[in-house]
PDB file of all heavy atoms in Angstrom:
ATOM      1  N   LEU A 196     -95.175 -18.021 253.696  1.00  0.00           N
ATOM      2  CA  LEU A 196     -95.542 -19.132 254.661  1.00  0.00           C
ATOM      3  C   LEU A 196     -96.992 -18.777 255.273  1.00  0.00           C
ATOM      4  O   LEU A 196     -97.838 -19.691 255.368  1.00  0.00           O
ATOM      5  CB  LEU A 196     -94.589 -19.193 255.863  1.00  0.00           C
ATOM      6  CG  LEU A 196     -93.220 -19.822 255.518  1.00  0.00           C
ATOM      7  CD1 LEU A 196     -92.355 -19.777 256.755  1.00  0.00           C
ATOM      8  CD2 LEU A 196     -93.306 -21.241 255.024  1.00  0.00           C
ATOM      9  N   LYS A 197     -97.185 -17.518 255.577  1.00  0.00           N
ATOM     10  CA  LYS A 197     -98.433 -17.084 256.181  1.00  0.00           C
ATOM     11  C   LYS A 197     -99.694 -17.306 255.243  1.00  0.00           C
ATOM     12  O   LYS A 197    -100.724 -17.750 255.528  1.00  0.00           O
ATOM     13  CB  LYS A 197     -98.291 -15.620 256.595  1.00  0.00           C
ATOM     14  CG  LYS A 197     -99.393 -15.252 257.644  1.00  0.00           C
ATOM     15  CD  LYS A 197     -99.007 -15.760 259.002  1.00  0.00           C
ATOM     16  CE  LYS A 197    -100.342 -16.110 259.765  1.00  0.00           C
ATOM     17  NZ  LYS A 197    -100.157 -17.294 260.626  1.00  0.00           N
ATOM     18  N   ASN A 198     -99.346 -16.891 253.939  1.00  0.00           N
ATOM     19  CA  ASN A 198    -100.333 -17.004 252.861  1.00  0.00           C
ATOM     20  C   ASN A 198    -100.702 -18.502 252.547  1.00  0.00           C
ATOM     21  O   ASN A 198    -101.768 -18.837 252.128  1.00  0.00           O
ATOM     22  CB  ASN A 198     -99.825 -16.413 251.547  1.00  0.00           C
ATOM     23  CG  ASN A 198     -99.839 -14.820 251.645  1.00  0.00           C
ATOM     24  OD1 ASN A 198    -100.450 -14.300 252.640  1.00  0.00           O
ATOM     25  ND2 ASN A 198     -99.242 -14.124 250.818  1.00  0.00           N
ATOM     26  N   GLU A 199     -99.689 -19.323 252.912  1.00  0.00           N
ATOM     27  CA  GLU A 199     -99.947 -20.796 252.695  1.00  0.00           C
ATOM     28  C   GLU A 199    -100.804 -21.453 253.914  1.00  0.00           C
ATOM     29  O   GLU A 199    -101.004 -22.673 253.841  1.00  0.00           O
ATOM     30  CB  GLU A 199     -98.631 -21.518 252.514  1.00  0.00           C
ATOM     31  CG  GLU A 199     -97.826 -21.106 251.297  1.00  0.00           C
ATOM     32  CD  GLU A 199     -97.906 -22.111 250.138  1.00  0.00           C
ATOM     33  OE1 GLU A 199     -98.535 -23.123 250.376  1.00  0.00           O
ATOM     34  OE2 GLU A 199     -97.268 -21.891 249.164  1.00  0.00           O
ATOM     35  N   GLY A 200    -100.943 -20.526 255.003  1.00  0.00           N
ATOM     36  CA  GLY A 200    -101.754 -21.083 256.044  1.00  0.00           C
ATOM     37  C   GLY A 200    -100.921 -21.561 257.216  1.00  0.00           C
ATOM     38  O   GLY A 200    -101.458 -22.281 258.155  1.00  0.00           O
ATOM     39  N   PHE A 201     -99.624 -21.470 257.228  1.00  0.00           N
ATOM     40  CA  PHE A 201     -98.744 -21.905 258.285  1.00  0.00           C
ATOM     41  C   PHE A 201     -98.712 -20.944 259.424  1.00  0.00           C
ATOM     42  O   PHE A 201     -98.812 -19.733 259.227  1.00  0.00           O
ATOM     43  CB  PHE A 201     -97.321 -22.142 257.807  1.00  0.00           C
ATOM     44  CG  PHE A 201     -97.114 -23.262 256.828  1.00  0.00           C
ATOM     45  CD1 PHE A 201     -97.079 -23.085 255.507  1.00  0.00           C
ATOM     46  CD2 PHE A 201     -97.058 -24.606 257.325  1.00  0.00           C
ATOM     47  CE1 PHE A 201     -96.968 -24.180 254.589  1.00  0.00           C
ATOM     48  CE2 PHE A 201     -96.875 -25.694 256.506  1.00  0.00           C
ATOM     49  CZ  PHE A 201     -96.815 -25.402 255.088  1.00  0.00           C
ATOM     50  N   ALA A 202     -98.697 -21.441 260.615  1.00  0.00           N
ATOM     51  CA  ALA A 202     -98.322 -20.559 261.800  1.00  0.00           C
ATOM     52  C   ALA A 202     -96.764 -20.513 261.796  1.00  0.00           C
ATOM     53  O   ALA A 202     -96.093 -21.428 261.596  1.00  0.00           O
ATOM     54  CB  ALA A 202     -98.778 -21.275 263.130  1.00  0.00           C
ATOM     55  N   VAL A 203     -96.221 -19.258 262.112  1.00  0.00           N
ATOM     56  CA  VAL A 203     -94.844 -18.970 261.910  1.00  0.00           C
ATOM     57  C   VAL A 203     -94.253 -18.409 263.264  1.00  0.00           C
ATOM     58  O   VAL A 203     -94.728 -17.453 263.688  1.00  0.00           O
ATOM     59  CB  VAL A 203     -94.510 -18.106 260.688  1.00  0.00           C
ATOM     60  CG1 VAL A 203     -93.116 -18.063 260.463  1.00  0.00           C
ATOM     61  CG2 VAL A 203     -95.277 -18.509 259.482  1.00  0.00           C
ATOM     62  N   LYS A 204     -93.144 -19.058 263.741  1.00  0.00           N
ATOM     63  CA  LYS A 204     -92.417 -18.498 264.854  1.00  0.00           C
ATOM     64  C   LYS A 204     -91.042 -18.170 264.372  1.00  0.00           C
ATOM     65  O   LYS A 204     -90.449 -18.895 263.452  1.00  0.00           O
ATOM     66  CB  LYS A 204     -92.320 -19.529 265.913  1.00  0.00           C
ATOM     67  CG  LYS A 204     -91.313 -19.108 267.067  1.00  0.00           C
ATOM     68  CD  LYS A 204     -91.338 -20.234 268.160  1.00  0.00           C
ATOM     69  CE  LYS A 204     -90.320 -19.905 269.253  1.00  0.00           C
ATOM     70  NZ  LYS A 204     -89.044 -20.705 269.067  1.00  0.00           N
ATOM     71  N   LEU A 205     -90.487 -17.100 264.810  1.00  0.00           N
ATOM     72  CA  LEU A 205     -89.096 -16.675 264.447  1.00  0.00           C
ATOM     73  C   LEU A 205     -88.266 -16.597 265.730  1.00  0.00           C
ATOM     74  O   LEU A 205     -88.667 -16.000 266.760  1.00  0.00           O
ATOM     75  CB  LEU A 205     -89.175 -15.253 263.838  1.00  0.00           C
ATOM     76  CG  LEU A 205     -87.821 -14.607 263.440  1.00  0.00           C
ATOM     77  CD1 LEU A 205     -87.152 -15.385 262.265  1.00  0.00           C
ATOM     78  CD2 LEU A 205     -87.990 -13.151 263.023  1.00  0.00           C
ATOM     79  N   ASP A 206     -87.120 -17.203 265.624  1.00  0.00           N
ATOM     80  CA  ASP A 206     -86.069 -16.986 266.753  1.00  0.00           C
ATOM     81  C   ASP A 206     -85.032 -15.893 266.266  1.00  0.00           C
ATOM     82  O   ASP A 206     -84.600 -15.872 265.128  1.00  0.00           O
ATOM     83  CB  ASP A 206     -85.317 -18.263 266.916  1.00  0.00           C
ATOM     84  CG  ASP A 206     -86.128 -19.433 267.534  1.00  0.00           C
ATOM     85  OD1 ASP A 206     -87.297 -19.140 267.947  1.00  0.00           O
ATOM     86  OD2 ASP A 206     -85.727 -20.545 267.460  1.00  0.00           O
ATOM     87  N   THR A 207     -84.731 -14.978 267.149  1.00  0.00           N
ATOM     88  CA  THR A 207     -83.888 -13.880 266.683  1.00  0.00           C
ATOM     89  C   THR A 207     -83.120 -13.336 267.885  1.00  0.00           C
ATOM     90  O   THR A 207     -83.442 -13.443 268.987  1.00  0.00           O
ATOM     91  CB  THR A 207     -84.683 -12.667 266.110  1.00  0.00           C
ATOM     92  OG1 THR A 207     -83.774 -11.694 265.644  1.00  0.00           O
ATOM     93  CG2 THR A 207     -85.729 -12.037 267.070  1.00  0.00           C
ATOM     94  N   ASN A 208     -81.950 -12.741 267.532  1.00  0.00           N
ATOM     95  CA  ASN A 208     -81.136 -12.087 268.559  1.00  0.00           C
ATOM     96  C   ASN A 208     -81.437 -10.626 268.659  1.00  0.00           C
ATOM     97  O   ASN A 208     -80.923  -9.892 269.475  1.00  0.00           O
ATOM     98  CB  ASN A 208     -79.570 -12.324 268.290  1.00  0.00           C
ATOM     99  CG  ASN A 208     -79.108 -11.756 267.085  1.00  0.00           C
ATOM    100  OD1 ASN A 208     -79.586 -10.743 266.472  1.00  0.00           O
ATOM    101  ND2 ASN A 208     -77.975 -12.311 266.380  1.00  0.00           N
ATOM    102  N   GLY A 209     -82.298 -10.060 267.778  1.00  0.00           N
ATOM    103  CA  GLY A 209     -82.831  -8.746 267.964  1.00  0.00           C
ATOM    104  C   GLY A 209     -81.955  -7.673 267.430  1.00  0.00           C
ATOM    105  O   GLY A 209     -82.245  -6.490 267.604  1.00  0.00           O
ATOM    106  N   PHE A 210     -80.970  -7.918 266.615  1.00  0.00           N
ATOM    107  CA  PHE A 210     -80.078  -6.937 266.164  1.00  0.00           C
ATOM    108  C   PHE A 210     -80.463  -6.231 264.822  1.00  0.00           C
ATOM    109  O   PHE A 210     -79.735  -5.397 264.283  1.00  0.00           O
ATOM    110  CB  PHE A 210     -78.626  -7.482 266.023  1.00  0.00           C
ATOM    111  CG  PHE A 210     -77.967  -7.382 267.507  1.00  0.00           C
ATOM    112  CD1 PHE A 210     -78.100  -8.384 268.380  1.00  0.00           C
ATOM    113  CD2 PHE A 210     -77.197  -6.229 267.826  1.00  0.00           C
ATOM    114  CE1 PHE A 210     -77.532  -8.271 269.696  1.00  0.00           C
ATOM    115  CE2 PHE A 210     -76.592  -6.181 269.098  1.00  0.00           C
ATOM    116  CZ  PHE A 210     -76.803  -7.218 270.002  1.00  0.00           C
ATOM    117  N   PHE A 211     -81.609  -6.717 264.245  1.00  0.00           N
ATOM    118  CA  PHE A 211     -82.062  -6.179 263.053  1.00  0.00           C
ATOM    119  C   PHE A 211     -83.533  -5.835 263.125  1.00  0.00           C
ATOM    120  O   PHE A 211     -84.335  -6.404 262.440  1.00  0.00           O
ATOM    121  CB  PHE A 211     -81.701  -7.120 261.818  1.00  0.00           C
ATOM    122  CG  PHE A 211     -80.298  -7.471 261.650  1.00  0.00           C
ATOM    123  CD1 PHE A 211     -79.639  -8.497 262.370  1.00  0.00           C
ATOM    124  CD2 PHE A 211     -79.490  -6.672 260.851  1.00  0.00           C
ATOM    125  CE1 PHE A 211     -78.282  -8.707 262.277  1.00  0.00           C
ATOM    126  CE2 PHE A 211     -78.106  -6.903 260.755  1.00  0.00           C
ATOM    127  CZ  PHE A 211     -77.530  -7.965 261.428  1.00  0.00           C
ATOM    128  N   PRO A 212     -83.816  -4.831 263.890  1.00  0.00           N
ATOM    129  CA  PRO A 212     -85.146  -4.401 264.119  1.00  0.00           C
ATOM    130  C   PRO A 212     -85.983  -4.036 262.844  1.00  0.00           C
ATOM    131  O   PRO A 212     -87.057  -4.317 262.754  1.00  0.00           O
ATOM    132  CB  PRO A 212     -85.066  -3.268 265.127  1.00  0.00           C
ATOM    133  CG  PRO A 212     -83.701  -2.837 265.103  1.00  0.00           C
ATOM    134  CD  PRO A 212     -82.855  -3.941 264.649  1.00  0.00           C
ATOM    135  N   LYS A 213     -85.384  -3.345 261.934  1.00  0.00           N
ATOM    136  CA  LYS A 213     -86.070  -2.960 260.722  1.00  0.00           C
ATOM    137  C   LYS A 213     -86.558  -4.186 259.931  1.00  0.00           C
ATOM    138  O   LYS A 213     -87.721  -4.172 259.444  1.00  0.00           O
ATOM    139  CB  LYS A 213     -85.202  -2.075 259.911  1.00  0.00           C
ATOM    140  CG  LYS A 213     -84.920  -0.703 260.336  1.00  0.00           C
ATOM    141  CD  LYS A 213     -84.234   0.187 259.388  1.00  0.00           C
ATOM    142  CE  LYS A 213     -84.053   1.616 259.969  1.00  0.00           C
ATOM    143  NZ  LYS A 213     -83.065   1.680 260.933  1.00  0.00           N
ATOM    144  N   ASN A 214     -85.688  -5.174 259.840  1.00  0.00           N
ATOM    145  CA  ASN A 214     -86.076  -6.396 259.102  1.00  0.00           C
ATOM    146  C   ASN A 214     -87.088  -7.162 259.845  1.00  0.00           C
ATOM    147  O   ASN A 214     -88.236  -7.631 259.283  1.00  0.00           O
ATOM    148  CB  ASN A 214     -84.909  -7.220 258.861  1.00  0.00           C
ATOM    149  CG  ASN A 214     -85.054  -8.206 257.686  1.00  0.00           C
ATOM    150  OD1 ASN A 214     -86.062  -8.216 256.964  1.00  0.00           O
ATOM    151  ND2 ASN A 214     -84.116  -9.008 257.450  1.00  0.00           N
ATOM    152  N   LEU A 215     -86.991  -7.278 261.188  1.00  0.00           N
ATOM    153  CA  LEU A 215     -88.044  -7.854 262.059  1.00  0.00           C
ATOM    154  C   LEU A 215     -89.416  -7.173 261.945  1.00  0.00           C
ATOM    155  O   LEU A 215     -90.390  -7.835 261.811  1.00  0.00           O
ATOM    156  CB  LEU A 215     -87.508  -7.873 263.422  1.00  0.00           C
ATOM    157  CG  LEU A 215     -88.516  -8.485 264.498  1.00  0.00           C
ATOM    158  CD1 LEU A 215     -88.850  -9.986 264.211  1.00  0.00           C
ATOM    159  CD2 LEU A 215     -87.985  -8.288 265.905  1.00  0.00           C
ATOM    160  N   GLU A 216     -89.346  -5.898 261.976  1.00  0.00           N
ATOM    161  CA  GLU A 216     -90.528  -5.094 261.827  1.00  0.00           C
ATOM    162  C   GLU A 216     -91.395  -5.453 260.635  1.00  0.00           C
ATOM    163  O   GLU A 216     -92.592  -5.512 260.663  1.00  0.00           O
ATOM    164  CB  GLU A 216     -90.240  -3.567 261.831  1.00  0.00           C
ATOM    165  CG  GLU A 216     -91.405  -2.749 262.120  1.00  0.00           C
ATOM    166  CD  GLU A 216     -91.046  -1.294 262.358  1.00  0.00           C
ATOM    167  OE1 GLU A 216     -90.012  -0.899 261.991  1.00  0.00           O
ATOM    168  OE2 GLU A 216     -91.897  -0.641 262.954  1.00  0.00           O
ATOM    169  N   GLN A 217     -90.692  -5.676 259.456  1.00  0.00           N
ATOM    170  CA  GLN A 217     -91.326  -6.008 258.241  1.00  0.00           C
ATOM    171  C   GLN A 217     -91.926  -7.480 258.302  1.00  0.00           C
ATOM    172  O   GLN A 217     -92.817  -7.775 257.616  1.00  0.00           O
ATOM    173  CB  GLN A 217     -90.381  -5.952 257.114  1.00  0.00           C
ATOM    174  CG  GLN A 217     -89.918  -4.610 256.759  1.00  0.00           C
ATOM    175  CD  GLN A 217     -88.836  -4.628 255.557  1.00  0.00           C
ATOM    176  OE1 GLN A 217     -87.974  -5.402 255.564  1.00  0.00           O
ATOM    177  NE2 GLN A 217     -89.118  -3.737 254.673  1.00  0.00           N
ATOM    178  N   CYS A 218     -91.336  -8.248 259.193  1.00  0.00           N
ATOM    179  CA  CYS A 218     -91.822  -9.668 259.333  1.00  0.00           C
ATOM    180  C   CYS A 218     -93.079  -9.776 260.283  1.00  0.00           C
ATOM    181  O   CYS A 218     -93.916 -10.705 260.117  1.00  0.00           O
ATOM    182  CB  CYS A 218     -90.851 -10.581 259.939  1.00  0.00           C
ATOM    183  SG  CYS A 218     -89.321 -10.821 258.969  1.00  0.00           S
ATOM    184  N   LEU A 219     -93.103  -8.838 261.265  1.00  0.00           N
ATOM    185  CA  LEU A 219     -94.121  -9.007 262.320  1.00  0.00           C
ATOM    186  C   LEU A 219     -95.507  -9.141 261.889  1.00  0.00           C
ATOM    187  O   LEU A 219     -96.242 -10.007 262.542  1.00  0.00           O
ATOM    188  CB  LEU A 219     -94.020  -7.758 263.274  1.00  0.00           C
ATOM    189  CG  LEU A 219     -92.867  -7.815 264.279  1.00  0.00           C
ATOM    190  CD1 LEU A 219     -92.925  -6.470 265.138  1.00  0.00           C
ATOM    191  CD2 LEU A 219     -92.815  -8.965 265.118  1.00  0.00           C
ATOM    192  N   PRO A 220     -95.972  -8.546 260.917  1.00  0.00           N
ATOM    193  CA  PRO A 220     -97.412  -8.796 260.439  1.00  0.00           C
ATOM    194  C   PRO A 220     -97.789 -10.306 260.079  1.00  0.00           C
ATOM    195  O   PRO A 220     -98.933 -10.681 260.127  1.00  0.00           O
ATOM    196  CB  PRO A 220     -97.659  -7.842 259.262  1.00  0.00           C
ATOM    197  CG  PRO A 220     -96.571  -6.824 259.334  1.00  0.00           C
ATOM    198  CD  PRO A 220     -95.403  -7.539 260.019  1.00  0.00           C
ATOM    199  N   TYR A 221     -96.706 -10.991 259.722  1.00  0.00           N
ATOM    200  CA  TYR A 221     -96.893 -12.381 259.280  1.00  0.00           C
ATOM    201  C   TYR A 221     -96.436 -13.484 260.405  1.00  0.00           C
ATOM    202  O   TYR A 221     -96.458 -14.687 260.113  1.00  0.00           O
ATOM    203  CB  TYR A 221     -96.172 -12.601 257.994  1.00  0.00           C
ATOM    204  CG  TYR A 221     -96.346 -11.535 257.081  1.00  0.00           C
ATOM    205  CD1 TYR A 221     -95.289 -10.671 256.735  1.00  0.00           C
ATOM    206  CD2 TYR A 221     -97.634 -11.251 256.475  1.00  0.00           C
ATOM    207  CE1 TYR A 221     -95.493  -9.568 255.854  1.00  0.00           C
ATOM    208  CE2 TYR A 221     -97.792 -10.254 255.555  1.00  0.00           C
ATOM    209  CZ  TYR A 221     -96.713  -9.458 255.266  1.00  0.00           C
ATOM    210  OH  TYR A 221     -96.932  -8.300 254.423  1.00  0.00           O
ATOM    211  N   LEU A 222     -96.032 -12.991 261.509  1.00  0.00           N
ATOM    212  CA  LEU A 222     -95.562 -13.840 262.533  1.00  0.00           C
ATOM    213  C   LEU A 222     -96.669 -14.069 263.697  1.00  0.00           C
ATOM    214  O   LEU A 222     -97.285 -13.226 264.065  1.00  0.00           O
ATOM    215  CB  LEU A 222     -94.254 -13.300 263.112  1.00  0.00           C
ATOM    216  CG  LEU A 222     -93.001 -13.204 262.295  1.00  0.00           C
ATOM    217  CD1 LEU A 222     -91.893 -12.485 263.097  1.00  0.00           C
ATOM    218  CD2 LEU A 222     -92.530 -14.552 261.825  1.00  0.00           C
ATOM    219  N   ASP A 223     -96.584 -15.366 264.024  1.00  0.00           N
ATOM    220  CA  ASP A 223     -97.470 -15.653 265.235  1.00  0.00           C
ATOM    221  C   ASP A 223     -96.751 -15.627 266.530  1.00  0.00           C
ATOM    222  O   ASP A 223     -97.380 -15.543 267.623  1.00  0.00           O
ATOM    223  CB  ASP A 223     -98.074 -17.102 265.010  1.00  0.00           C
ATOM    224  CG  ASP A 223     -98.820 -17.236 263.848  1.00  0.00           C
ATOM    225  OD1 ASP A 223    -100.024 -16.939 263.871  1.00  0.00           O
ATOM    226  OD2 ASP A 223     -98.320 -17.502 262.686  1.00  0.00           O
ATOM    227  N   TYR A 224     -95.419 -15.766 266.531  1.00  0.00           N
ATOM    228  CA  TYR A 224     -94.650 -15.823 267.770  1.00  0.00           C
ATOM    229  C   TYR A 224     -93.268 -15.424 267.453  1.00  0.00           C
ATOM    230  O   TYR A 224     -92.664 -15.834 266.507  1.00  0.00           O
ATOM    231  CB  TYR A 224     -94.732 -17.309 268.320  1.00  0.00           C
ATOM    232  CG  TYR A 224     -94.340 -17.326 269.824  1.00  0.00           C
ATOM    233  CD1 TYR A 224     -95.493 -17.326 270.714  1.00  0.00           C
ATOM    234  CD2 TYR A 224     -93.182 -17.550 270.310  1.00  0.00           C
ATOM    235  CE1 TYR A 224     -95.190 -17.459 272.197  1.00  0.00           C
ATOM    236  CE2 TYR A 224     -92.806 -17.671 271.651  1.00  0.00           C
ATOM    237  CZ  TYR A 224     -93.868 -17.675 272.546  1.00  0.00           C
ATOM    238  OH  TYR A 224     -93.628 -17.734 273.964  1.00  0.00           O
ATOM    239  N   VAL A 225     -92.655 -14.682 268.348  1.00  0.00           N
ATOM    240  CA  VAL A 225     -91.221 -14.356 268.276  1.00  0.00           C
ATOM    241  C   VAL A 225     -90.559 -14.656 269.643  1.00  0.00           C
ATOM    242  O   VAL A 225     -91.064 -14.321 270.639  1.00  0.00           O
ATOM    243  CB  VAL A 225     -91.048 -12.797 268.081  1.00  0.00           C
ATOM    244  CG1 VAL A 225     -89.545 -12.422 268.020  1.00  0.00           C
ATOM    245  CG2 VAL A 225     -91.703 -12.288 266.766  1.00  0.00           C
TER     246      VAL A 225
END
């Protein structure tokens, strides 16, 4: 999504920090 030029927001309950950490470089808002 980021490579396509979209701004990306993720909604999460926070129970999978390792997966979230891998996403963070490409997220604009959590």
